[in-house]
Amino acid sequence: GMLLLRTGHPEIYPLVLTTKTQEIFNCRIDEDVTDEQPYKLIKKEDIFEDLRNRAAVSDFHPVKKIVQEYPGNELLLVYDKDFKYGLNFYLIATEEGKENYLNPPEVPEEQEEYKEHIPEDVYIYKPPVSKPWVSLGSEKEIEEESVTESTKQITYMISRKRSEFGAPIKFSDQNASSVKDAYIECTAYPDKNFTLKQLEKDVGMQVIPQIKDISTQTKWTYPKNATTQYYPREFSEEEKETLKQSKPLVDFLNNASISVEIALQQNEIMNTFIDDWKYLAEEEGTFGDKTDTYLKEYQSFTDLHSPMEKMITCVSWHPTIYGLIAVSVAVRLSFEDRVHFSDKLLLQPSLILFWSFSDPIHPQLMLESPDDIFCFKFCPSDPNIIAGGCINGQIVMWDITAHADRIENIKAGGSRSKRATLKPMFLLEPESNKEAMYIRHCAVSSIENGHKKVITDIHWLSDTFEINRMGSVFENRSGICCQLVTCSADCTICFWDIRPQKPLTPQTTEKKKEESIEIPFDVPSTFLHLDLSWKPLTKVRLSKGETSLDHCPTKISLNEDHLLCKTQDKMLAQSKTEKAEEMNPYHNLESGMANLLKPIDDFCTKFFVGTEEGEVIYTDWKMEKDPETGRLMSKKPVSHHTIHDGTVHTIQRSPFYNDIILTVGGWNVAIWKEGVMTGPLLQSCCAPKRYTSGHWSLTRPGVFYIGREDGYIDIWDLLEKTHEPAQSQNICITMITCIKPWIFSSKQQFIATADYYGTLHILEIPWTLSRPSTNEMASVNHYFEREVKHLEYVEQRKKIREQEKKEMELEMAKKKVKTYQKSKEQMQAELKMDYENYLELEKTVLINLGLIKVTEKGSYMEVM
């Protein structure tokens, strides 16, 4: 319904008339009703008809009763232009009111005149009268407006270790949305202790003009003509003659003539204006500019088909095929999230993807595994054999020999072109394309007997030796790599053998035969004997001294690590694989077991381990028997240093010096020398961002690359600087998870960098970072030797200082003992001496003050 606005006039009823109603009753605004004639007479019957037609929709519905009770036939509807009564029209509901509106009563003339004479507002000035001051509380208001400290002051004391002082710290902005849990939302809430009322503010302003001091200087530019003439002063003829015969001139000419002649001859022999620095570097026609020092983006690969967000955990170049690179990917989830999404993760295949330079979109092969792979390695003896470590602690083996033709090496052209091309996946027939997409694993290790947590590092032992359960070293019977070493977050390092072990009872072999029937037809039977029953050969634990706790290893580096860096090694590896393909020894592993074990005597069984706490440990894998229990146990570490302030994720031997090791972890880098137990040769200061990966250069002994959490690569060059990186370069926007360089030829080298968002960036290494200088090997070696001498010197100084400290303490102790050993007589004699000295002093003071006079006889007389 409509609200009837009651006005001062009871006969007036305001109404809202819509445009349609105005058309029905011919009372359209500015057409039928105007300023001159703002009213319209409406018949009662017309209103009733409208009410019948439109019922409650009619604009006259609110005044239906009033219309029914109206005595006359015509009602007066008035247009209320100024909304005097609140709405656009109003009805006059009485005959009397209608008459008054149409014929207004006349006002007498006198009254009108009188109205005109009286002014509406007469202003009479009243002078101000001074009154006594009455306080109305304004001083309280001023008190309230004044600022006083209401909150209690909180005192913080922040301290840090003395040893950590002076480390350079750099703060920088970080994109909070790119890193998980990087920011916490602090929502506003009303705090009862701090409810402050907004008081009024009085602000005063004063405008002042700006003052300018301007000074000018007029230049005197009156032109004036002036000329000067110089002429030389010359000796007179007599002076010339005397000078020619003078001895000083003759001596000077005799001395100077020789050096002038030599200078003239040198100018003739060689060009003095040659820039020697330009000709210092070796001349060679190479790609790019020699001054170019930046890594150039060559290609990048991203898995677009994966529904879940994944990161790259490990990268490995194919040992023999150009442009083929394998990467393992894992879901970007924390342990809690993995448990939460475990049902979804089971449907996702865990993969190692093979990417080729020839096809940046589709992976060439995909190796399936039971769970996410965190590290894997190609077998040095046969690159078709791959071993990987899972997040659940299992080792996985693949044999891709059957699919080798898909990535086979096709030599393009003659011997001039070394570059190998690949058959991209999309060029193969569609059927073979589908089949070869996923390759199932051949074998996984036993869940009960292996690692219990994520495997963080895996290495193949060299084909020159093998070890037994005790860790003793023997000549390799098979002549191929048959043993692996892994380390895991469950605090163990395990050695594995891929050859079938001698069965304890004959039943097990029968069981194996029964089980082997269920194996899918497309899985090679290379490692069938290992599947789900494979146990480690030996387990090494690194105990923390007296406690029952163990160190948690993250990376290991054995004495014979494979860094195939030189081309001749590469060719050798290629010839080995070709031989292996002809008579594949991995398909007949038992044949190697028949030979007898020949021990190798002078073999170094010690290796480096990096831990989760940032420690670098040098220990032995050989086991020893506990004299009390008789059990086999690991030896105590040879040396143990806590250098890194975070997890060690890179521990790698230099490809040029087998005893130099690079370790990266937390916010710093260290370089060690095997055999030097006192500490690292080089330890960098704290970096602005956490380091996440690292790798030696394969061609320059003094260069290594370090990946950071902000997507930058720090390039260190020990010949240029040893205290900080030579240069930093941004590669991506997120954390770099893995770095792997690779040599294609003397003129082309690549570095693969993988990031947290699952992108693999292939960068070309510039000439300056790939080409070693003439004496670089010797210079870097000399630097390491100097650092070793410096460490020895520091160690000697420590011993000398300790000796000096001991001697000083002994002297102090002797002095203390001397003071206690004084006899009673000595003590009394000393006291007597002191007393006599005091008396003497007292007398001199009294004489000086004139209180005592000295008589002729030498006695003293007191002055009263």
Side-chain angles (χ1 to χ4, degrees):
M2 196 200 81
L3 177 72
L4 285 175
L5 296 169
R6 304 314 295 152
T7 62
H9 301 275
E11 74 274 15
I12 286 172
Y13 291 88
L15 276 176
V16 173
L17 294 193
T18 59
T19 325
K20 192 170 182 194
T21 311
Q22 289 172 28
E23 282 168 18
I24 294 167
F25 291 93
N26 290 327
C27 57
R28 287 167 295 183
I29 294 168
D30 295 331
E31 284 182 35
D32 303 319
V33 285
T34 59
D35 290 7
E36 291 80 45
Q37 193 182 354
Y39 62 89
K40 182 89 180 174
L41 288 164
I42 295 175
K43 288 182 181 175
K44 210 170 165 183
E45 292 84 46
D46 293 353
I47 295 172
F48 285 142
E49 195 179 331
D50 187 65
L51 285 164
R52 278 196 298 278
N53 292 343
R54 296 201 293 168
V57 181
S58 171
D59 290 342
F60 290 96
H61 187 265
V63 290
K64 184 179 177 182
K65 200 175 181 187
I66 296 146
V67 175
Q68 282 171 350
E69 287 168 9
Y70 187 77
N73 283 333
E74 287 181 316
L75 285 95
L76 186 67
L77 180 74
V78 183
Y79 168 45
D80 191 358
K81 186 195 175 187
D82 302 317
F83 289 77
K84 196 174 174 184
Y85 299 105
L87 302 172
N88 64 351
F89 285 90
Y90 59 83
L91 265 182
I92 296 177
T94 58
E95 282 288 306
E96 192 185 337
K98 184 167 86 175
E99 284 300 314
N100 283 348
Y101 183 86
L102 295 170
N103 308 310
E106 287 177 10
V107 180
E109 283 179 9
E110 292 122 32
Q111 280 182 356
E112 278 185 8
E113 280 173 18
Y114 179 68
K115 263 187 189 175
E116 280 168 25
H117 285 299
I118 297 169
E120 286 180 4
D121 294 327
V122 176
Y123 176 72
I124 301 157
Y125 172 74
K126 289 178 186 173
V129 182
S130 61
K131 295 173 191 171
W133 159 257
V134 180
S135 170
L136 297 172
S138 59
E139 65 272 7
K140 190 188 172 192
E141 213 174 295
I142 289 162
E143 220 172 274
E144 281 176 354
E145 279 202 20
S146 61
V147 181
T148 52
E149 281 195 15
S150 56
T151 53
K152 282 183 184 176
Q153 287 193 337
I154 303 164
T155 310
Y156 289 102
M157 180 179 155
I158 298 162
S159 64
R160 70 192 294 189
K161 286 182 190 173
R162 176 69 192 83
S163 60
E164 289 174 6
F165 277 18
I169 296 169
K170 281 186 192 170
F171 294 104
S172 62
D173 294 342
Q174 171 182 297
N175 185 357
S177 56
S178 69
V179 182
K180 196 184 173 194
D181 299 338
Y183 61 90
I184 300 162
E185 194 176 350
C186 298
T187 47
Y189 66 94
D191 192 338
K192 289 172 188 174
N193 305 331
F194 301 103
T195 47
L196 301 172
K197 285 181 183 174
Q198 178 72 47
L199 299 170
E200 281 187 21
K201 269 188 182 175
D202 289 348
V203 179
M205 285 175 77
Q206 177 68 42
V207 182
I208 59 154
Q210 280 188 325
I211 297 167
K212 273 188 182 177
D213 286 352
I214 298 170
S215 62
T216 60
Q217 175 69 42
T218 48
K219 285 183 182 175
W220 182 252
T221 54
Y222 183 74
K224 194 176 184 183
N225 292 330
T227 57
T228 55
Q229 176 68 49
Y230 291 93
Y231 64 90
R233 282 191 306 164
E234 287 188 354
F235 286 130
S236 65
E237 289 300 319
E238 296 86 34
E239 283 172 327
K240 282 181 187 173
E241 283 302 318
T242 51
L243 193 66
K244 278 178 190 174
Q245 285 156 15
S246 70
K247 193 176 184 292
L249 182 69
V250 175
D251 291 348
F252 164 72
L253 288 171
N254 288 337
N255 291 338
S257 59
I258 299 162
S259 52
V260 171
E261 279 172 18
I262 291 167
L264 289 168
Q265 283 170 1
Q266 281 179 344
N267 284 359
E268 280 298 311
I269 292 163
M270 59 190 283
N271 184 3
T272 49
F273 299 106
I274 274 181
D275 184 357
D276 292 329
W277 293 109
K278 269 187 184 176
Y279 289 88
L280 191 66
E282 301 92 341
E283 277 295 310
E284 189 180 313
T286 54
F287 73 96
D289 186 5
K290 286 185 190 177
T291 56
D292 202 4
T293 56
Y294 282 91
L295 305 169
K296 290 179 192 160
E297 180 88 32
Y298 185 79
Q299 209 162 343
S300 65
F301 302 98
T302 312
D303 185 16
L304 306 168
H305 312 292
S306 173
M308 291 195 88
E309 292 177 334
K310 297 200 174 184
M311 64 169 176
I312 294 176
T313 53
C314 186
V315 175
S316 192
W317 292 86
H318 194 284
T320 54
I321 298 174
Y322 167 81
L324 192 66
I325 186 164
V327 294
S328 56
V329 289
V331 181
R332 289 206 306 266
L333 295 175
S334 64
F335 182 74
E336 289 78 10
D337 291 342
R338 274 182 180 274
V339 174
H340 185 247
F341 294 113
S342 53
D343 51 345
K344 286 183 184 174
L345 292 174
L346 285 169
L347 304 172
Q348 292 291 316
S350 298
L351 302 169
I352 290 180
L353 309 172
F354 276 71
W355 292 104
S356 156
F357 282 7
S358 60
D359 184 0
I361 297 163
H362 306 97
Q364 299 297 312
L365 298 175
M366 297 194 205
L367 311 187
E368 279 187 327
S369 79
D371 214 332
D372 283 351
I373 295 285
F374 271 71
C375 55
F376 70 94
K377 286 276 190 314
F378 285 97
C379 174
S381 304
D382 182 359
N384 291 326
I385 307 291
I386 300 151
C390 284
I391 192 168
N392 63 1
Q394 284 181 297
I395 295 188
V396 189
M397 298 291 291
W398 291 271
D399 181 3
I400 59 166
T401 315
H403 306 272
D405 59 334
R406 150 176 237 124
I407 50 170
E408 69 189 341
N409 221 348
I410 304 159
K411 297 279 181 208
S415 58
R416 238 182 88 257
S417 166
K418 287 185 194 170
R419 188 174 182 124
T421 53
L422 288 135
K423 266 189 198 170
M425 202 184 75
F426 50 81
L427 292 181
L428 296 158
E429 296 78 34
E431 284 131 26
S432 67
N433 193 348
K434 281 175 195 167
E435 283 169 23
M437 278 296 282
Y438 293 99
I439 299 172
R440 199 173 168 278
H441 52 82
C442 293
V444 286
S445 62
S446 156
I447 295 172
E448 299 83 16
N449 301 305
H451 291 295
K452 301 290 181 281
K453 288 184 184 174
V454 57
I455 295 175
T456 52
D457 203 6
I458 188 164
H459 293 271
W460 288 89
L461 295 191
S462 167
D463 55 5
T464 55
F465 70 94
E466 61 177 272
I467 67 163
N468 67 357
R469 290 187 186 282
M470 288 286 290
S472 303
V473 183
F474 300 92
E475 280 182 19
N476 191 329
R477 293 171 289 180
S478 307
I480 52 170
C481 298
C482 291
Q483 291 183 335
L484 292 152
V485 59
T486 56
C487 72
S488 163
D490 64 358
C491 302
T492 58
I493 294 168
C494 290
F495 288 85
W496 308 75
D497 199 316
I498 61 170
R499 295 170 295 195
Q501 300 303 308
K502 288 173 185 174
L504 299 170
T505 53
Q507 290 178 338
T508 52
T509 50
E510 285 169 26
K511 276 186 184 177
K512 285 257 175 85
K513 279 177 189 170
E514 285 170 25
E515 286 170 13
S516 65
I517 300 163
E518 297 166 22
I519 300 299
F521 70 94
D522 60 336
V523 177
S525 59
T526 321
F527 304 111
L528 242 172
H529 55 276
L530 301 175
D531 202 20
L532 295 170
S533 62
W534 191 14
K535 297 174 188 176
L537 192 66
T538 176
K539 272 189 186 182
V540 178
R541 281 188 177 274
L542 307 169
S543 65
K544 285 190 179 179
E546 305 303 314
T547 60
S548 58
L549 298 170
D550 293 329
H551 291 289
C552 177
T554 50
K555 292 287 171 194
I556 49 179
S557 172
L558 302 182
N559 195 11
E560 298 220 356
D561 266 353
H562 295 280
L563 269 180
L564 295 172
C565 57
K566 298 171 186 69
T567 42
Q568 60 201 40
D569 292 2
K570 225 164 157 188
M571 299 306 289
L572 204 128
Q574 213 156 344
S575 63
K576 265 190 188 176
T577 51
E578 280 163 18
K579 278 182 192 170
E581 279 167 20
E582 287 164 22
M583 42 166 274
N584 204 330
Y586 284 97
H587 293 182
N588 186 17
L589 285 164
E590 287 183 38
S591 61
M593 300 289 283
N595 306 332
L596 291 167
L597 287 167
K598 294 177 190 169
I600 303 173
D601 301 324
D602 55 345
F603 193 90
C604 178
T605 55
K606 295 180 183 68
F607 63 108
F608 280 86
V609 183
T611 71
E612 204 169 39
E613 290 85 31
E615 297 145 320
V616 176
I617 300 168
Y618 186 55
T619 186
D620 199 327
W621 73 57
K622 265 192 183 175
M623 310 291 265
E624 58 184 9
K625 280 192 177 175
D626 188 349
E628 292 171 16
T629 57
R631 282 185 185 173
L632 286 178
M633 50 183 284
S634 311
K635 289 185 178 181
K636 282 182 181 175
V638 180
S639 73
H640 167 259
H641 297 275
T642 307
I643 292 291
H644 301 289
D645 43 11
T647 306
V648 177
H649 46 69
T650 302
I651 186 157
Q652 192 187 73
R653 284 175 191 271
S654 165
F656 298 92
Y657 319 97
N658 202 34
D659 57 349
I660 297 292
I661 292 95
L662 169 74
T663 62
V664 186
W667 280 260
N668 63 352
V669 177
I671 293 178
W672 309 75
K673 187 175 173 78
E674 197 168 5
V676 178
M677 296 298 113
T678 46
L681 305 186
L682 173 113
Q683 182 187 348
S684 73
C685 59
C686 256
K689 291 282 177 185
R690 190 164 55 89
Y691 287 148
T692 52
S693 57
H695 206 289
W696 283 105
S697 164
L698 299 180
T699 52
R700 283 198 55 190
V703 172
F704 52 91
Y705 306 95
I706 307 290
R708 302 194 325 208
E709 67 178 348
D710 59 350
Y712 276 78
I713 282 187
D714 280 354
I715 302 165
W716 286 71
D717 186 347
L718 298 177
L719 288 184
E720 196 176 317
K721 295 176 187 174
T722 55
H723 66 289
E724 63 177 5
Q727 67 188 74
S728 289
Q729 185 178 340
N730 182 252
I731 305 298
C732 51
I733 56 162
T734 181
M735 178 171 82
I736 290 173
T737 55
C738 193
I739 292 179
K740 279 281 163 69
W742 188 244
I743 304 166
F744 166 56
S745 70
S746 60
K747 292 183 185 178
Q748 196 174 34
Q749 289 184 32
F750 297 110
I751 186 164
T753 55
D755 69 23
Y756 184 70
Y757 288 165
T759 306
L760 178 69
H761 305 267
I762 308 292
L763 306 152
E764 204 163 352
I765 299 174
W767 187 84
T768 46
L769 291 174
S770 60
R771 183 87 177 159
S773 59
T774 322
N775 302 319
E776 184 163 343
M777 186 103 170
S779 304
V780 176
N781 194 32
H782 183 54
Y783 163 70
F784 289 142
E785 282 169 8
R786 274 204 319 273
E787 288 302 316
V788 171
K789 281 176 187 168
H790 177 250
L791 277 175
E792 285 169 2
Y793 171 73
V794 169
E795 205 59 29
Q796 282 172 356
R797 294 298 301 165
K798 271 186 192 170
K799 285 175 187 172
I800 292 165
R801 287 273 176 267
E802 280 169 17
Q803 191 64 35
E804 283 175 1
K805 201 176 176 184
K806 280 178 189 174
E807 283 170 9
M808 281 171 75
E809 281 170 3
L810 277 168
E811 273 180 35
M812 290 291 285
K814 276 178 189 174
K815 278 181 184 175
K816 281 180 186 175
V817 171
K818 274 181 188 174
T819 52
Y820 291 128
Q821 285 176 345
K822 282 179 183 175
S823 62
K824 271 189 181 180
E825 291 82 14
Q826 279 177 318
M827 298 273 277
Q828 281 172 347
E830 278 178 14
L831 282 169
K832 197 177 179 185
M833 280 280 288
D834 285 350
Y835 184 61
E836 282 171 4
N837 289 339
Y838 166 70
L839 286 174
E840 200 65 43
L841 179 71
E842 188 184 42
K843 277 175 193 173
T844 52
V845 170
L846 288 170
I847 290 161
N848 290 340
L849 290 171
L851 298 171
I852 291 177
K853 279 184 179 178
V854 186
T855 59
E856 287 173 10
K857 292 174 183 178
S859 62
Y860 299 99
M861 189 179 77
E862 205 170 310
V863 179
M864 293 306 286

